[in-house]
Amino acid sequence: MTVHTPKPHDAGPLHVTGAARYTDDIPTPTGTLHLAFGLSSIARGTITTLDLAPVLAAPGVVAVLTADDLPYDNDVSPSNHDEPLLAKQTVHYVGQPVFLVVAESHLQARHAARLAKIDYVEETPLLTIEDALAADSRFEDGPRVYLKGDAGEALKGAAHRLQNSFEIGGQEHFYLEGHAALALPQEDGDMVVHASSQHPTEIQHKVAEALGVPMNAVRVEVRRMGGGFGGKESQGNALCVACAVAARLTRKPCKMRYDRDDDMIVTGKRHEFRIDYDVGFDDDGRVTGLTFEQFARCGWAQDLSLPVADRAMLHADNAYHLEHVRIISHRLKTNTQSNTAFRGFGGPQGMVGIERVMDEIAHALGKDPLDVRRLNFYAAASVADEASGGDILKHGKAPNKDNADLASRGATETGQRVKVYQKPGGQTTPYGMEVTDFILHEMTDQLVEESDYHARRQKVAIWNERNPVLKRGLALSPVKFGISFTLTHLNQAGALVHVYQDGSIHLNHGGTEMGQGLFTKVAQVAAHEFGVSLDAVKITATDTGKVPNTSATAASSGSDLNGMAVKAACEEIKDRIALFLAGQYQTDPSKVRFQRGAVNVAGDTIPFQKAIELAYTHRVSLSATGFYATPDVAWDRIKGHGRPFFYFAYGAAVTEVVIDTLTGENRILRADILHDAGRSLNPALDIGQIEGGYVQGAGWLTMEELVWDAKGNLRTHAPSTYKIPCASDRPEVFNVSLWDGENRSETIYRSKAVGEPPLMLGISAWLALSDAISACGDDYPNLDAPATPERIAMACARLRS
């Protein structure tokens, strides 16, 4: 079987040998020109003088462009047409592109860009959440609000009540390959663009707008990226548009890549949040009423901030059933980089809020935080074995008349057994979506047992009593993450499959490869459908000329969408071949089987290559397009109600840490993870994604700190000043397991998305640090994120004072 088995990444050998070709590695034609932006040096103000004469006079400079020189649309926004490629009179953040240098080499362009003489009338920038609130600087007229029940009345009548506030920092994407683009002018005004982008169709759209041509005059190709994490969903627009405009002007190929410092200064980050909360709960720790107020620092332009903030609201419940809740979201405009998509897309910030609440409730009641979490979980979905007369396989009761309809909506076939999933009682999220697939009760039970959670908590307590300086902490946090684009029309994908007369298979689809192994998984789908080995399938670059109108490779949907589209294309070709062979053998086409490198028909086994030759010589079409649209999703973002997600992916992590209470130095000692990938397409790739996601999430919340000075300059703009986790920061003991189950929704072979959900497993590391700090005194630690050594040391000092 080609799927559900571990297979190596298709480009693994190329990665480790350095032979993998990225955008900057593409051989360029003679005479290729190179570009660099001239950047604003202030955060807010008006340009009074722009002297570009020294730039034009610099060695190798061919042209210098300002906003007035652009032929058509001066905009690179993915959403609101509020992000000019080049500033006109006003500038809005330090690092905003003001002019574009076209030169004979990369270094000449960069050097020349620093020679401009720009005078400004400076204004006081809005840099913080507090600044934006004071100025009422927003992207919407007022806050967006989700309501369920009556949170106000529930809070008034609560047995216990807590109010608090904390901050969550942003995060730099720090992809290994920086942004890069190459534009090649073609005949008749057409343009070919090679991009390092998660969204080739958006690049096609923005380049076409900038050149004043239809989209069919622009072709965008993406073979691979050296990491993306959401940072290449929209932020690559500027480079590609700049290259295309310059290529049209000069009639020469144009290339652009950011230096690492420029990349960090120019591009957006994960959104910084402040979360205020007011929670009421009973003596056992059950939440009876809750208000969240989320403040998102969005930066100077809208970019993708509205859907990011929406998803933070959508994940404010995480794994917990909240009967009376009010969620308020403020989308604040500041004079900083335009923040953008980042793995989890706002979901992590929402989850951190509710996990902080659960921790503080447990501390107030003197309970194990795990007990409080379990108590507030959504009800478990139950599973009955229809084939065995309704015997219980998992938690819950046997089927009855009230849930018999689930046999058609949620049943899955495994061999001769049919599992019927029952509703857990109609529990809904704060946005009105029914939760019918909740499995965290069983998952938590298994993880608690496998990680030896309870015995280790006792050992941690003993350790902390005996050690006055070094303290340990242990925490378990769950994940319930919704899978689908919340902009409903993006939940679609296309594919193109060719089978050549020698039996080799050519595969193209709308997803992009950024190291996550998407191409390998989708190739496994094609190989499985045709019953051939994986090496028979050729994976080709994502190309808007082959598959049109693609959605971004984002929202953890790459395998779900593109896998199903490829499956549809393969099935169409198989149906044609089966119909032809059935006619030759005078049998039913449904009896034709593709397996083990052959086609079985009427008792005969025909080698796959021979079957393809026969079909070709009898003029059977061996090429097909496939299309897939996610069913059952409907979302009204204005009302804040509907079913934005096709299903939920689940996971849980237990993390143990140790801290030095005097210096704040800390280490992750052990992490135990149980993650739900459904019936995994490729366990090896999925476990790799889980490990990487956990480390990236823990890095965001424990060490990755973005710092701006009072003038709006990003001071952490290089590896020397911005710390990401390295190999030595991974847990000394790192146990990762996949949950033994399949998706109850009809996804590709019942697998589940595994791109974004694992990042939120890293929340357990932040909670474990808070648990360790709490050993220093009786008060709650009130730990902000990232929990840097400085913050940990100060929190320990506060508790001891």
Side-chain angles (χ1 to χ4, degrees), residues 64-78:
V64 181
L65 306 181
T66 66
D68 293 335
D69 300 314
L70 301 179
Y72 289 95
D73 198 3
N74 179 26
D75 178 77
V76 292
S77 168

Side-chain angles (χ1 to χ4, degrees), residues 473-610:
L474 185 73
L476 183 151
S477 64
V479 171
K480 175 181 110 332
F481 191 80
I483 304 298
S484 289
F485 287 99
T486 53
L487 187 57
T488 303
H489 75 261
L490 294 178
N491 294 293
Q492 60 174 297
L496 175 64
V497 176
H498 303 319
V499 181
Y500 293 104
Q501 57 185 293
D502 65 352
S504 63
I505 299 163
H506 173 108
L507 171 63
N508 197 271
H509 57 84
T512 57
E513 175 62 55
M514 61 190 98
Q516 82 278 38
L518 173 64
F519 279 20
T520 302
K521 284 187 172 182
V522 178
Q524 285 178 266
V525 171
H528 177 76
E529 286 298 313
F530 286 114
V532 298
S533 62
L534 189 57
D535 58 12
V537 181
K538 185 70 172 180
I539 306 169
T540 59
T542 308
D543 189 334
T544 59
K546 293 181 179 179
V547 177
N549 306 319
T550 62
S551 297
T553 306
S556 303
S557 63
S559 297
D560 282 5
L561 294 177
N562 296 288
M564 289 293 261
V566 166
K567 183 173 184 289
C570 293
E571 287 175 340
E572 184 171 337
I573 297 172
K574 285 167 57 182
D575 287 347
R576 295 177 194 153
I577 297 171
L579 185 63
F580 157 68
L581 291 176
Q584 297 290 303
Y585 283 80
Q586 296 185 345
T587 189
D588 188 333
S590 65
K591 295 181 180 179
V592 177
R593 297 284 184 269
F594 293 75
Q595 56 190 21
R596 298 185 180 89
V599 182
N600 298 319
V601 52
D604 280 0
T605 298
I606 309 171
F608 181 77
Q609 182 176 343
K610 180 63 176 177

Side-chain angles (χ1 to χ4, degrees), residues 214-237:
M215 290 176 67
N216 65 8
V218 179
R219 184 171 70 83
V220 178
E221 181 177 312
V222 180
R223 175 56 186 92
R224 64 172 56 85
M225 289 162 276
F229 310 118
K232 295 179 180 177
E233 185 171 347
S234 63
Q235 300 281 294
N237 294 355

